Amino acid sequence: MEPYQSLVNAIIVQAIKDYRKAIRFLKHHPHTPDLDNDPQQNALRDKVIKNENERDAAERFFRSGWFEMLSSLDGEVLLKKVCEMEVG
């Protein structure tokens, strides 16, 4: 395998890992109005927001022109498969 292809694969694998981690966390800790209204929940709210941002960034990546340049995979199908695995 050429070094370029190894780098591409590593980028995609890391994006999948980040996406899986974020959606797994959000499955167990959804963003609810209670989080926004309870000052004692600030730390959890911050983690939820961080994971929402990670999820959104990964979704943008898999739908981007850059991903299309890197891979012949269908980003939407990949997102759907990962969601099915993590969320059910």
Side-chain angles (χ1 to χ4, degrees):
M1 181 179 303
E2 294 201 25
Y4 168 79
Q5 192 59 47
S6 293
L7 177 60
V8 166
N9 291 345
I11 290 168
I12 293 170
V13 166
Q14 188 61 52
I16 291 170
K17 286 179 182 179
D18 292 346
Y19 186 63
R20 288 182 69 192
K21 180 180 172 191
I23 61 176
R24 190 177 311 130
F25 180 89
L26 293 169
K27 177 182 178 182
H28 298 288
H29 305 284
H31 196 154
T32 63
D34 295 341
L35 284 178
D36 294 329
N37 298 327
D38 185 354
Q40 294 178 344
Q41 301 259 353
N42 282 348
L44 178 58
R45 187 191 70 232
D46 291 347
K47 288 179 184 178
V48 168
I49 290 170
K50 176 185 176 282
N51 280 278
E52 288 173 335
N53 290 337
E54 285 287 333
R55 177 202 58 205
D56 295 347
E59 288 176 352
R60 279 192 306 274
F61 168 69
F62 287 114
R63 292 178 176 130
S64 72
W66 186 43
F67 179 76
E68 288 179 5
M69 280 182 26
L70 293 175
S71 174
S72 61
L73 297 172
D74 184 324
E76 285 295 331
V77 171
L78 189 57
L79 286 170
K80 184 178 177 185
K81 294 285 185 189
V82 172
C83 274
E84 288 172 358
M85 289 173 32
E86 291 301 323
V87 179

